[in-house]
Amino acid sequence: MASELDRKASTVVGGMSLRVEKTGRAPEEAGGSRMQFLYEVRAGEHVYRGTDLYAGVGMDVSASRMVRVLAGFLSKAGERYRSGMCPPDDAYPEWVYEQAYLNEDELAMASFELEEPEVFTGRFGEQEGPWASVVFLQGEDADAALSVLEERGPEAAIAHLAQWDFGDETEQAAAANGHVYKAPPVGTWDREFRSGAYHLSWNHSLGHVGLTRSIAGAAEAATPSERARQLGPASPTVTAGVTGHSIDARPEPLGR
């Protein structure tokens, strides 16, 4: 029987109160289903309730985890308000955006602090830069990789994302698009894992995951033919080496 923490959870973040409650599963047109949650945002006399908070396809997620997911979404809403990208008819009422902006730092911290502790066994410091971006996925495009990460761990997630690594072609595409770095790009609240030539970064709350590879350590990475044999052919939805990073802190790209 599910515990109350699995079904309902709440927290106070700055001047905002957040509450979520699990309501069941919503079917997906492509098959499978997602866990659906009611959520409530309070600030002073203002109250906003919504039903469009979902877990990843097939994932069994507790309400306590979805509180931090909601905090992450609201932190991003605060960023949008600060940058003037908040039309009145957007996802939330305007007061929610304003309160998210006023509590942006606290929301970002909450989305990080409420995460369950993770154990990292990756080997850090083995490879030097420069680092080429292999792939960056966010939103629905990141669901599969984040599911692999949660169910099988970071090594399996690296193996999954390495299907987008085409060796020299990836390095050339990364260089052409300005995605070669002195150090792997990592967002302020991202988790990290490094193994061999690869560096993995991700944020469950904000729904993104990225893989970079040390150019100096390219010889250690499996070749495309080896990955195809091990994992089957890849069907990427983005061009290798062409990324759409939207992270809080990025190392300065190398000059060309």
Side-chain angles (χ1 to χ4, degrees), residues 24-239:
R25 290 188 172 273
E28 289 287 300
E29 291 184 3
S33 63
R34 295 174 181 263
M35 295 191 101
Q36 185 174 12
F37 294 79
L38 296 172
Y39 64 93
E40 179 182 277
V41 180
R42 288 179 176 267
E45 298 180 353
H46 295 291
V47 181
Y48 175 71
R49 296 181 179 91
T51 60
D52 56 341
L53 184 63
Y54 299 90
V57 175
M59 295 176 63
D60 189 7
V61 180
S62 67
S64 58
R65 177 175 172 185
M66 293 307 290
V67 167
R68 76 170 188 263
V69 172
L70 178 59
F73 287 152
L74 292 172
S75 175
K76 286 296 183 183
E79 288 183 17
R80 295 189 63 200
Y81 186 89
R82 172 163 43 84
S83 62
M85 298 169 56
C86 174
D89 59 346
D90 210 339
Y92 307 110
E94 189 167 357
W95 71 263
V96 173
Y97 283 93
E98 181 179 3
Q99 288 296 317
Y101 163 69
L102 294 174
N103 296 276
E104 184 180 340
D105 291 341
E106 291 90 342
L107 287 165
M109 183 65 73
S111 70
F112 177 71
E113 287 182 340
L114 289 171
E115 293 198 18
E116 296 90 345
E118 305 207 37
V119 178
F120 304 105
T121 57
R123 300 180 298 279
F124 286 82
E126 291 187 353
Q127 297 297 339
E128 301 297 329
W131 294 79
S133 176
V134 175
V135 66
F136 181 86
L137 302 172
Q138 56 189 346
E140 293 183 358
D141 291 337
D143 284 349
L146 290 173
S147 293
V148 171
L149 179 63
E150 179 164 308
E151 295 168 9
R152 296 165 52 198
E155 291 280 8
I158 287 176
H160 173 77
L161 292 171
Q163 295 179 88
W164 280 267
D165 188 355
F166 298 98
D168 290 344
E169 180 183 339
T170 293
E171 294 175 14
Q172 292 166 9
N177 289 279
H179 298 312
V180 176
Y181 308 97
K182 296 178 182 178
V186 181
T188 303
W189 308 114
D190 284 3
R191 299 285 188 173
E192 300 176 66
F193 182 90
R194 190 178 299 177
S195 180
Y198 289 111
H199 178 278
L200 179 72
S201 64
W202 71 94
N203 187 310
H204 280 292
S205 300
L206 301 181
H208 65 239
V209 60
L211 184 69
T212 54
R213 173 171 53 75
S214 166
I215 294 177
E220 292 188 16
T223 64
S225 60
E226 289 173 338
R227 285 191 294 275
R229 176 176 55 81
Q230 296 167 1
L231 303 170
S235 300
T237 57
V238 295
T239 304

Side-chain angles (χ1 to χ4, degrees), residues 6-8 20-24 35-37 60-63:
D6 288 334
R7 274 197 326 110
K8 299 179 180 180
V20 301
E21 180 176 349
K22 187 183 299 183
T23 61
M35 295 191 101
Q36 185 174 12
F37 294 79
D60 189 7
V61 180
S62 67

